[in-house]
Amino acid sequence: MEVSEALRSRRSTRAFEPDGLLLGREVLEDLIFEATRAPSEFNLQPWRFLVVRDRERKQALYDCCFKQEKIRQASALIVVCGDTRGWERADKAAEELIETGYFDPGPAAQPGQQSIQSAQNDARALAERIKNTYLRDERARIAMAYRNPALVAMNLMLVATERGIASCPIAGFSEPQLRRAFEIPDRFVPVVIIALGMPSLAMGRQPVKPRRPLFEVVYHEDMASW
Ligand SMILES: Cc1cc2nc3c(=O)[nH]c(=O)nc-3n(C[C@H](O)[C@H](O)[C@H](O)COP(=O)(O)O)c2cc1C
């Protein structure tokens, strides 16, 4: 399936066929694996995925989501969370880039030897940049925890579409209740819940919702004409 086809055929599914699909752990982890091809700030990947399949846990999630019925109907739900402390793996993230050969190791100190001095300098400089960006800037830390998971969540819905799995993004939840019920630590923010399953057979094909015309939402070069 072409990306444009997935973009056009995706719908926020209004109702699911209760347990209409069996979405096993492997299928869900594969969706997540594909979704995490998403870009992220400094490649920090500040996201976590809480997978809910168990009937009782779905009931708890349903209570956190103002009793939206689709939560109980969905075959599985993925709570996509952001990590406000994602920047703390700056050194590790930079180190991984050396290991994967991303940084140019530079000329060898002696013939036949490989120098990694230059790569280590690049990695150290990157780690410093990451720390300077977030250490004293709470707004940047919070923005990071929302921005990146939003991208991964969209990927998740597109990959699901490609595989014939319907989805619905859900932000209608009580955050304090969700934190309590699922023991989500303070450092993580629940960004969006992705419900996955088979569309309700009784519902028929959902029509496409209208989109605002481009002239209302696009500006070129600056927004002075707003
Ligand atoms: C961040 C976000 C939160 C949403 N929360 C809910 C929700 O709590 N319940 C729901 O039924 N739909 C929710 N939606 C789905 C929107 O209503 C839907 O995307 C919009 O109406 C456009 O329809 P479409 O996705 O089918 O094109 C949410 C969508 C987004 C992007």
Side-chain angles (χ1 to χ4, degrees):
M1 181 184 273
E2 300 278 338
V3 175
S4 54
E5 194 187 338
L7 286 168
R8 280 179 179 72
S9 54
R10 185 205 59 79
R11 306 276 188 280
S12 289
T13 301
R14 273 203 300 261
F16 293 96
E17 196 60 32
D19 299 318
L21 280 182
L22 189 65
L23 294 176
R25 195 186 174 113
E26 257 180 49
V27 170
L28 293 167
E29 290 197 352
D30 194 51
L31 287 182
I32 294 170
F33 176 82
E34 296 294 343
T36 53
R37 305 308 94 191
S40 62
E41 293 168 51
F42 297 112
N43 198 32
L44 287 168
Q45 305 163 60
W47 42 57
R48 295 291 188 284
F49 304 88
L50 168 61
V51 179
V52 178
R53 289 194 302 145
D54 177 80
R55 191 175 300 278
E56 277 178 29
R57 302 308 288 151
K58 277 190 214 167
Q59 179 65 38
L61 195 56
Y62 163 80
D63 290 334
C64 298
C65 293
F66 311 113
K67 306 201 185 301
Q68 297 191 50
E69 196 53 47
K70 57 168 72 92
I71 300 283
R72 288 201 293 203
Q73 298 165 339
S75 300
L77 301 113
I78 301 179
V79 185
V80 182
C81 299
D83 185 3
T84 58
R85 288 168 57 183
W87 65 279
E88 289 178 10
R89 55 185 309 280
D91 292 316
K92 178 98 178 73
E95 192 64 33
E96 283 167 359
L97 289 179
I98 300 182
E99 284 159 19
T100 54
Y102 177 80
F103 290 124
D104 183 356
Q110 299 205 351
Q113 259 184 8
Q114 228 208 349
S115 161
I116 60 157
Q117 195 62 42
S118 156
Q120 274 169 346
N121 288 343
D122 287 347
R124 255 195 298 274
L126 174 65
E128 275 316 295
R129 250 201 353 267
I130 296 174
K131 289 172 198 171
N132 288 337
T133 303
Y134 303 103
L135 187 61
R136 277 172 286 277
D137 190 345
E138 192 189 5
R139 198 181 147 106
R141 294 196 293 271
I142 302 290
M144 152 192 267
Y146 285 96
R147 207 155 32 203
N148 300 280
L151 299 180
V152 101
M154 189 66 238
N155 271 7
L156 195 55
M157 290 186 281
L158 289 177
V159 179
T161 304
E162 185 201 59
R163 299 190 178 176
I165 302 168
S167 63
C168 185
I170 293 168
F173 54 79
S174 154
E175 185 173 328
Q177 209 178 330
L178 186 62
R179 283 188 179 284
R180 264 196 313 278
F182 290 86
E183 301 181 54
I184 300 174
D186 284 347
R187 69 181 275 180
F188 301 117
V189 285
V191 174
V192 65
I193 300 169
I194 307 296
L196 297 164
M198 178 197 280
S200 155
L201 295 171
M203 191 180 63
R205 179 104 176 109
Q206 257 179 245
V208 178
K209 290 230 187 122
R211 291 302 192 259
R212 297 173 69 173
L214 287 192
F215 76 83
E216 282 188 13
V217 295
V218 178
Y219 299 81
H220 290 278
E221 316 310 346
D222 63 45
M223 291 180 72
S225 58
W226 165 251

